[in-house]
Amino acid sequence: MIIGGAEDKLHKRTILKDFVAASGGADARIAVIPTASSLGPEVVEVYDALFRRLGAAEVVAVRPESREDAHDPELVARLAGATGIFMTGGNQLKLSALVCGTPLADAIVDAHERGVVVAGTSAGASIQSSHMVAFGGPGSTPKQRMTQVAAGLGLLDSTVIDQHFDQRNRYGRLLMIVAQSPQLLGIGVDEDTAAIVHHVDDHDVLSVVGRGAVTVFDPSRIVTNAYEAKRSSTLLASGVLLHVLPEGSRFDLTTRTLVAQAAGVDPAEAADLAEAGQDLRDLARDIAAADASPGALRRRLARSRTRPDTRQARREQQSPQHRTDQDGAS
Amino acid sequence: MIIGGAEDKLHKRTILKDFVAASGGADARIAVIPTASSLGPEVVEVYDALFRRLGAAEVVAVRPESREDAHDPELVARLAGATGIFMTGGNQLKLSALVCGTPLADAIVDAHERGVVVAGTSAGASIQSSHMVAFGGPGSTPKQRMTQVAAGLGLLDSTVIDQHFDQRNRYGRLLMIVAQSPQLLGIGVDEDTAAIVHHVDDHDVLSVVGRGAVTVFDPSRIVTNAYEAKRSSTLLASGVLLHVLPEGSRFDLTTRTLVAQAAGVDPAEAADLAEAGQDLRDLARDIAAADASPGALRRRLARSRTRPDTRQARREQQSPQHRTDQDGAS
């Protein structure tokens, strides 16, 4: 569960609720890893209070402050009974530098493999990919050397994750990385938005929850000069396939394609469509039959025209939420 | 000539120089249309001074301040002898509202068709496309209603142009427009950067000059919910082909593909490659021949190893610029 930072903690809390629910709800035992943060125990207290308020049974802090700590069997053991692991925001390079390649990292990867929900926000999101954005500046246009890559936990292979994507204008730096490493899929997650990855039928499928979008760069067919561009020059990155995915979208990371959605048809509209279809079939039959005189056609049309009233009546019976929110593309 | 705004006016002035040169250099007669600007005569004075300093023979102001003005035959006639037309920045909706659909607009389109260079910066860039970004907010993620479209001059058909693209973070609004109108190609031009379009063999070919990039969105195969998304919701925009084009790139707008560049090979490197190729051919011949004893191979390799010195010597004779700028992808 890859959260783009600044997830709502006070109001709807959709993403954090989803995390607690996925971790077992009332049975959830959540381990919080706040190592990325430079704040003191406050950050643990915030998430402790939050997860308990959202119904979790238990919250434990697992806070290595050195690689030595991350080798401590007592600390590593705290992950044993966890049903969910949550990595906070902060400095992802601190998190990866203290955790990656230690028994604690192995324990996180093992937990993930046996189905424990691993979530992280901001820095805790970045570290989940195999290749991690270490740091770098903002800007839409990719420039050589505008960012650095470090090694992440690798819960998601062949990817590089960026966060606060819209809010901090990070198109350029993620494009730079995929231009230099076109076997990586670039995943940018907006604030208060989560990319939830499930392993389904041997595929990794990403679903989107939250207010913003998850942006995916697929550079499989890129034409680029990133291997020879000098200093901080603007990069050529031609032929990158771009996917902007709002809440409700699903994207197959294995095939790198959008998962088609069953179109959400309003039940009233579906009934209208069925009825109109029947009218047309009746009309076609009448025309095909010998009696399709102009008079018969007129009568048929007059009968059809009375129908809208019955449709309207049926619509009125529908619960009102089917008819609010009608300010679409008109 | 589509300039993304904030073109360098004081130092190298690459883009403005290119414009004056394309307009005929010392024979250039340039008409400046400053209607987008809310500034007074100062904006004309700036460009007047600039274009004269860059060698233009004549600079005339063509400044309608109402649609009435843009119908004035005397004003329209000022375009008659122009070899270059330059539209300044400001408010593109003012420019299009006062000019589009008037005899002045017809005169600009006619001039463009007979080969007069038409350039514009910022607002003057936007108005060149058939569909124009009227206004709208920043942000990387496309949201319904974040921007508005108006009709532009249409010098470039089936396109929508945006400017200050990187600097004002306008990915989102341009993506919104192409998601709603997937027959349009979206073209975003960074500041101090120009997209120069030439008509070559029945194709429109775009070349890039300047410090930033030209970003092209090709939504031909987009999957989107933009026709039904509510209010200001985040849009689905999956399968958009993205091209980020730095200086020197060429892009065929007709086929929507990057124009392959002849790789810029350093002459010294090319000579080395030719020599190494000859070595390999010699070696292959020796191995194929019966005399390919281990001793013969050793002698052959020893001879090859002496070659780098002669290569080095030749490199020293090359002019020094072949060897600066060597801090590429190392």
Side-chain angles (χ1 to χ4, degrees), chain B residues 35-74:
Chain B
T35 301
S37 177
S38 57
L39 295 173
E42 304 88 324
V43 63
V44 179
E45 280 164 26
V46 164
Y47 282 104
D48 186 285
L50 254 169
F51 292 141
R52 285 182 202 276
R53 164 67 69 84
L54 295 172
E58 195 182 339
V59 183
V60 293
V62 180
R63 183 169 204 163
E65 283 294 324
S66 66
R67 287 186 73 82
E68 189 69 26
D69 288 351
H71 282 79
D72 175 4
E74 192 276 319

Side-chain angles (χ1 to χ4, degrees), chain B residues 61-139:
Chain B
V62 180
R63 183 169 204 163
E65 283 294 324
S66 66
R67 287 186 73 82
E68 189 69 26
D69 288 351
H71 282 79
D72 175 4
E74 192 276 319
L75 192 93
V76 174
R78 285 194 222 165
L79 286 188
T83 59
I85 297 173
F86 190 91
M87 297 179 286
T88 70
N91 172 349
Q92 60 259 38
L93 204 53
K94 180 182 170 202
L95 182 59
S96 67
L98 297 195
V99 169
C100 288
T102 69
L104 182 63
D106 294 345
I108 298 170
V109 172
D110 289 350
H112 182 247
E113 274 172 11
R114 64 174 190 270
V116 170
V117 184
V118 180
T121 185
S122 189
S126 289
I127 200 177
Q128 296 183 48
S129 49
S130 53
H131 296 72
M132 187 183 85
V133 183
F135 49 78

Side-chain angles (χ1 to χ4, degrees), chain B residues 8-32:
Chain B
D8 178 7
K9 297 178 189 70
L10 292 173
H11 305 101
K12 284 172 131 195
R13 299 185 283 220
T14 314
I15 293 168
L16 297 175
K17 268 184 197 160
D18 282 3
F19 167 65
V20 173
S23 301
D27 298 322
R29 301 185 55 220
I30 293 169
V32 174

Side-chain angles (χ1 to χ4, degrees), chain A residues 139-143 145 165-166 169 171 175 190 211-213 217 223 227 229-231 234-246 249 258 325 327-329, chain B residues 139-143 145 165-166 169 171 175 190 211-213 217 223 227 229-231 234-246 249 258 325 327-329:
Chain A
S140 315
T141 295
K143 296 194 166 74
R145 298 163 191 242
F165 193 67
D166 176 23
N169 190 12
Y171 255 74
L175 270 171
D190 289 353
R211 277 197 307 122
F217 293 131
V223 178
Y227 53 88
K230 308 298 183 203
R231 290 184 296 265
T234 301
L235 293 181
L236 172 69
S238 171
V240 176
L241 210 50
L242 170 65
H243 306 273
V244 180
L245 310 169
S249 312
L258 187 72
D325 258 20
D327 63 340
Chain B
S140 316
T141 295
K143 296 194 167 72
R145 297 162 192 242
F165 193 66
D166 175 23
N169 191 10
Y171 255 76
L175 269 172
D190 289 353
R211 276 196 307 123
F217 292 130
V223 177
Y227 53 88
K230 307 301 184 202
R231 292 184 296 266
T234 301
L235 294 181
L236 172 69
S238 171
V240 176
L241 210 49
L242 170 65
H243 306 273
V244 181
L245 309 169
S249 311
L258 185 73
D325 258 20
D327 64 340

Side-chain angles (χ1 to χ4, degrees), chain A residues 299-317:
Chain A
R299 281 192 298 280
R300 162 98 252 132
L301 284 168
R303 256 178 291 151
S304 309
R305 267 190 217 108
T306 62
R307 295 277 179 88
D309 296 337
T310 67
R311 285 176 206 166
Q312 189 57 40
R314 199 180 49 246
R315 252 198 223 104
E316 315 266 306
Q317 292 158 15

Side-chain angles (χ1 to χ4, degrees), chain A residues 6-24:
Chain A
E7 69 284 357
D8 178 7
K9 297 178 190 69
L10 291 173
H11 306 101
K12 284 171 132 195
R13 299 184 282 219
T14 314
I15 292 169
L16 297 175
K17 268 184 198 160
D18 282 4
F19 167 64
V20 173
S23 302

Side-chain angles (χ1 to χ4, degrees), chain A residues 14-69:
Chain A
T14 314
I15 292 169
L16 297 175
K17 268 184 198 160
D18 282 4
F19 167 64
V20 173
S23 302
D27 297 323
R29 300 186 55 219
I30 293 170
V32 174
I33 303 180
T35 301
S37 176
S38 56
L39 295 174
E42 305 89 323
V43 63
V44 179
E45 279 164 26
V46 165
Y47 281 104
D48 184 285
L50 255 169
F51 292 140
R52 285 182 202 277
R53 165 67 69 84
L54 294 172
E58 195 182 339
V59 182
V60 293
V62 179
R63 183 168 204 164
E65 283 294 323
S66 65
R67 286 187 73 82
E68 188 68 26
D69 287 351

